[in-house]
């Protein structure tokens, strides 16, 4: 497997020289300064690739080439946006960058309520707290219909939280929820978020699936022509939030996506943390189900609570059997090697990580500290080496 590291370019306080000391050889990055829907120029792609190669890295995966919200909503004439997306793909492929991770989550990317939740032994982690999220939806956004999305017990606790929360605590919660898109241009206050949500009025699961299928039909033939691999990232969290449907949350969802446009270019980013936050998901079993379409892997772990809350666990702890999952990925690599596939090696990165030691107090991109991820990479490297010699 290809050991990789997500790097946020000019938005990242971690330097490439520091990343080099982790032992990773591949970089997962994007051009985060370019507004969604605009073409990524050849010159900008070439400059980023040269920047990475100067430090000894390969640009192994683009994460992400974002999809404009109008495409997700199916809003108006989309021909220009699709053309721009295809041109960006061509410009990346021309520089030898041929794997694109993306997501089809409406409006928000990954969502957490706490960016620095304490963990035993010291340090902090990302957390999604169902009570605080319900408080945000029901009381801060005024979405009374959200009461149907949470248990009565959670709703009661959410009301109590809202009553005792200070203005600073409420603002902190909004900041946390808005922090899942480093480098993105859209940040919302409460009224702005309400307006953005109204743009999705009437878009249910079926409508979002139809819009996603249209995206695949527009993009996957180009990926085939360019020899590229597209790999969708699962929803995070894998549940409807803010009244918005989520359609990449389970093995059934992934099967639908693979069948919607049946092509090797239409693949999956196997994110063990996103899938693992859904209590019905058996992550190693899902990986085995879609193994031949896994083009990239995010390896992380979560620990779930009965009320729907979850938090980031250490990479080998939590609720997902990481050893069993890595066995699936290594078996798929062996199968690909045997049949002579040119993409036999699966790039992976240690996703998220606890802030610990010298991470604490550093202005990290939320969820992406240096020491916590290096610890995760070292642990995953050990599992991979041990299984390879079993």
């Amino acid at each position: 497997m290809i050991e990789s590291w997500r790097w946020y370019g000019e938005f990242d306080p971690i330097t490439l020289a520091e990343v080099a000391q982790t032992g990773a050889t591949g970089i997962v990055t994007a051009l985060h300064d370019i507004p969604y829907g605009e073409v990524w120029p050849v010159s900008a792609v070439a400059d980023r690739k040269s920047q990475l190669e100067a430090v000894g890295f390969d640009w192994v995966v683009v994460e992400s080439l974002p999809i404009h919200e109008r495409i997700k909503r199916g809003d108006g004439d989309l021909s220009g946006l699709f053309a721009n997306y295809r041109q960006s793909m061509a410009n990346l492929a021309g520089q030898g960058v041929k794997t694109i991770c993306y997501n089809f989550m409406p409006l928000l990317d990954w969502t957490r309520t706490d960016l620095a939740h304490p963990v035993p032994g010291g340090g902090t982690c990302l957390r999604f707290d169902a009570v605080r999220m319900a408080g945000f939806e029901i009381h801060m956004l005024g979405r009374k219909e959200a009461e149907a999305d949470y248990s009565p017990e959670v709703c009661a606790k959410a009301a109590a939280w809202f009553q005792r929360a200070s203005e600073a605590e409420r603002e902190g919660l909004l900041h946390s929820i808005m922090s899942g898109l480093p480098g993105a241009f859209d940040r919302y206050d409460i009224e702005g978020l309400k307006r953005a949500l109204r743009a999705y009025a009437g878009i249910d699961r079926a409508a979002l699936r139809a819009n996603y299928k249209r995206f695949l039909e527009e993009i996957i033939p180009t990926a085939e022509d360019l020899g590229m691999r597209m790999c969708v990232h699962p929803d995070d969290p894998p549940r409807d939030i803010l009244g918005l449907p989520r359609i990449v949350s389970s093995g059934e969802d992934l099967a639908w996506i693979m069948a919607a446009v049946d092509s090797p270019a239409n693949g999956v980013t196997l994110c063990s943390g996103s899938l693992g936050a859904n209590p019905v998901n058996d992550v190693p079993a899902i990986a085995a189900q879609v193994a031949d379409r896994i083009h990239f892997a995010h390896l992380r772990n979560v620990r779930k609570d009965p009320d729907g809350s979850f938090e980031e666990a250490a990479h080998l702890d939590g609720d997902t059997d990481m050893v069993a999952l890595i066995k699936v990925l290594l078996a798929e690599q062996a199968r690909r090697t045997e049949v002579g596939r040119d993409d036999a090696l699966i790039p992976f990165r240690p996703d998220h990580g606890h802030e610990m030691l010298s991470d604490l107090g550093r202005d990290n991109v939320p969820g992406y500290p240096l020491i916590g991820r290096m610890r995760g990479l070292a642990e995953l490297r050990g599992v991979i080496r041990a299984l390879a010699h079993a």
Side-chain angles (χ1 to χ4, degrees):
M1 298 175 71
I2 302 173
E3 296 183 3
S4 307
W5 189 273
R6 190 171 192 183
W7 185 65
Y8 286 96
E10 60 271 37
F11 296 95
D12 203 325
I14 297 171
T15 67
L16 289 174
E18 289 175 308
V19 176
Q21 296 181 59
T22 70
T25 59
I27 291 291
V28 177
T29 192
L31 305 182
H32 294 288
D33 60 321
I34 298 178
Y36 292 10
E38 293 189 9
V39 173
W40 287 14
V42 171
S43 58
V45 174
D47 286 348
R48 175 55 55 85
K49 185 182 180 186
S50 296
Q51 179 186 18
L52 300 177
E53 289 178 341
V55 193
F57 289 114
D58 294 323
W59 187 355
V60 292
V61 178
V62 174
E63 186 178 355
S64 299
L65 182 57
I67 301 170
H68 198 280
E69 293 299 314
R70 285 182 52 213
I71 292 176
K72 297 176 187 177
R73 297 193 302 263
D75 182 14
D77 180 5
L78 301 176
S79 57
L81 288 173
F82 284 128
N84 285 357
Y85 202 97
R86 287 189 290 263
Q87 187 61 57
S88 294
M89 293 170 64
N91 293 348
L92 286 160
Q95 295 297 313
V97 185
K98 294 193 173 184
T99 302
I100 297 175
C101 170
Y102 69 97
N103 74 70
F104 213 80
M105 288 181 264
L107 199 60
L108 297 179
D109 203 322
W110 59 264
T111 303
R112 298 292 187 274
T113 59
D114 301 86
L115 303 182
H117 182 74
V119 297
T124 65
C125 71
L126 300 178
R127 178 173 172 82
F128 179 91
D129 188 277
V131 170
R132 285 159 60 83
M133 192 69 199
F136 180 79
E137 293 203 54
I138 298 167
H139 301 286
M140 291 177 64
L141 280 180
R143 288 191 61 249
K144 296 303 181 185
E145 60 271 27
E147 292 178 358
D149 297 334
Y150 298 91
S151 70
E153 182 182 8
V154 166
C155 290
K157 290 180 179 179
W161 172 84
F162 181 75
Q163 288 299 318
R164 68 174 182 268
S166 66
E167 189 61 32
E169 288 173 321
R170 296 175 189 178
E171 286 297 318
L173 177 58
L174 174 64
H175 170 73
S176 295
I177 291 171
M178 291 294 108
S179 293
L181 288 170
F185 286 78
D186 289 331
R187 289 291 187 273
Y188 304 106
D189 58 15
I190 291 295
E191 291 306 314
L193 182 55
K194 287 179 179 179
R195 287 193 297 271
L197 289 171
R198 284 197 290 271
Y200 273 91
I203 297 179
D204 59 10
R205 178 178 174 84
L208 190 62
R209 268 190 167 186
N211 295 340
Y212 185 22
K213 188 173 188 292
R214 179 182 177 188
F215 169 79
L216 293 173
E217 290 169 343
E218 292 275 358
I219 297 304
I220 295 303
T222 300
E224 292 173 337
D225 292 343
L226 295 170
M228 301 190 83
R229 295 287 188 263
M230 303 292 295
C231 41
V232 65
H233 188 286
D235 301 324
D236 188 6
R239 53 165 292 167
D240 295 357
I241 57 171
L242 303 175
L244 300 172
R246 295 293 182 97
I247 59 171
V248 193
S249 296
S250 65
E252 184 274 332
D253 288 340
L254 294 179
W256 179 88
I257 293 163
M258 301 303 99
V261 175
D262 189 5
S263 165
N266 179 23
V268 175
T269 296
L270 197 288
C271 181
S272 55
S274 296
L275 292 169
N278 186 333
V280 305
N281 284 342
D282 180 333
V283 180
I286 291 174
Q289 168 193 327
V290 298
D292 66 332
R293 298 284 187 92
I294 296 173
H295 302 319
F296 181 34
H298 290 178
L299 299 182
R300 62 182 175 91
N301 224 322
V302 296
R303 182 176 293 107
K304 299 182 286 294
D305 296 331
D307 68 357
S309 303
F310 62 89
E311 64 186 51
E312 307 285 348
H315 286 75
L316 300 187
D317 295 333
D319 298 333
T320 294
D321 185 339
M322 193 63 69
V323 175
L325 175 59
I326 292 174
K327 280 183 180 179
V328 173
L329 298 176
L330 291 177
E332 173 60 16
Q333 278 198 162
R335 187 196 67 81
R336 294 181 188 186
T337 300
E338 186 175 344
V339 300
R341 277 178 53 165
D342 60 3
D343 62 344
L345 296 181
I346 298 172
F348 80 95
R349 63 176 181 83
D351 197 11
H352 297 177
H354 291 174
E355 289 201 340
M356 56 197 303
L357 303 175
S358 59
D359 290 327
L360 297 169
R362 188 171 183 170
D363 189 21
N364 294 304
V365 173
Y368 290 91
L370 175 61
I371 305 301
R373 281 189 291 166
M374 184 170 68
R375 172 190 172 184
L377 178 59
E379 292 176 344
L380 296 168
R381 179 186 294 142
V383 171
I384 292 166
R385 295 284 179 89
L387 290 174
H389 285 80

